[in-house]
Amino acid sequence: MAVKLHHITIVLLISYVLIITGCTSNGQINSDSTIAESTLNKINTIVVIYAENRSFDNLYGLFPGANGIHNALEHPETYLQLDRDGKTVLPSLPPIWNKNNPNWSFIADLPNKPFQIDAAPGDAPSSNGIKNVSPDLVHKFYHNQMQINVGSNNQFAAFSNAGGLTMGYYDGSSMALWQLAKEYTLADNFFMGAFGGSFLNHFWLVCACTPSMANVSTDQVSILDDKTGMLAFKPSSALQMAPHYLGDFNFTPADNTNQRNYAVNMAQPPFQPSGTPPAKTGNRLLADSGIKNGVVVLDPQTEKTLGDTLSARQINWAWYAGAWDAAVTDGMQSPDKARSVIYKTGAGAANFQAHHQPFNYFSRFDPTTANGREQRIAHLKDYTDLQTDIAKGTLPAVTFYKPQGSLNQHPGYTDVMSGDAHIAELVKQLQASPQWPNMFIIVTYDENGGFWDHVSPPKGDRWGPGSRIPAIIISPFAKKHSIDNTLYDTTSIIKFITRRFGLEPLPGVRDNAGDLTNTLEVDIRN
């Protein structure tokens, strides 16, 4: 018996190594270098569609053939959640702490395992189904690491303000994007570039870097435990109360090497549109950096971005955002006037999310300078511009699209299906574009939104990667009806664009992440 167990252990270890190194079960290496350059070079337009806050298991855990919920349920060690002491297995899932909503009270009675939100016992179509808005879940830099717990993924419920909701998943088969994933390539080993939330992951999409500034007020600096390097918290049980941190703020302590604090959770852009209004007597193009008792306005950033490397090679590119033009106008109003677009929720509201616009943090786009204004006109555009360019066949070689808040699938303020329909319709328009025959579309998510996923993130660096997220590759050159198990993270998008256009590599892009070329069909005619 000991010999058999020893043999099984060796097999499991070998399997783990094969997955991490990119080997398939038949011994082949998933090497991006094997793709024919002739196939890659036929791609003239790359479109990145960036949705919000869903883990892979949350939306695609039931996708046939993918590494999903079925695999997790076969191995309880991949899903059993521990209490905050890191030792005690929770006897049941904790309640949702951040919303007192009776429609979600059932979670406190669920066993300690993943559960389907839109099926019994959670199925209440009028309130809990995939077409409805769920409560939001905390999704921050240190929290994500504490939930992952060095790859065990066993403290998501303990360190969530939404308790057991983090373990919920949907049957996503009704989604239009699910059907596109069946038709083209679904990547089931793709991870968010950085730990935490939307703000930081948008930076990692465009520069593989973490923003920083000097002289941050101490009341904005996180208080960390000396032993763990994570947030210090008061001991308590996840079944009794929400986690209580001693200092859960937006910046890291100052780095010893450069005395700068890194912004790992939300800070506002220095330029409008920003969540921070202009100063009453200041320039209406700027956010009021001296405002008190609000989210910090980040200093203009100067790191090199993908936009810089594209421009250096005279490759046209643009960041299109839903409600951008309206948000610019909204942001330039007097601070005495209420915003009607930026972070405005409610029926019919665009709910523009200023911290989802990464290029608006960089000094290159300073609207108070002539060059900054030119750069904004050239590269920062509205969704209506995107539709015009699609129809005319004039999309830039590299196109980013960020849906407005009401259509981005973010828990707490929108639902899954409205964003799914919006993105699927956009893909349909792209497929009807004159540029479609040479197009490569990536539909992915910024981060997991606080939802659990059973796959351990790969080894990375101080900043990530974080949890696994969905990614769909749609292209005439993409493998059809395929699931790609290659290891990717958000920086793989940068790597793919860099390789296709021969750009200067950005230093933060990770060596062990694939460059997406494994999703392409090799053209054997070349």
Side-chain angles (χ1 to χ4, degrees), residues 107-119:
I107 289 178
D109 299 321
L110 293 180
N112 183 351
K113 63 190 301 184
F115 69 96
Q116 187 173 329
I117 298 173
D118 53 342

Side-chain angles (χ1 to χ4, degrees), residues 120 199 208 293 299 301 318 334 341 354 361 374 388 416 455-456 458 480 488 524-525:
F199 164 78
N293 301 321
D299 289 344
Q301 299 295 292
S334 166
V341 179
Y361 288 85
E374 291 176 2
T388 298
V416 172
V455 179
S456 300
K480 306 305 186 290
Y488 301 120
I524 60 175
R525 295 169 298 176

Side-chain angles (χ1 to χ4, degrees), residues 494-507:
I494 298 177
K495 189 177 285 190
F496 182 80
I497 295 169
T498 298
R499 179 174 174 182
R500 168 59 187 92
F501 294 110
L503 309 179
E504 175 189 348
L506 293 174

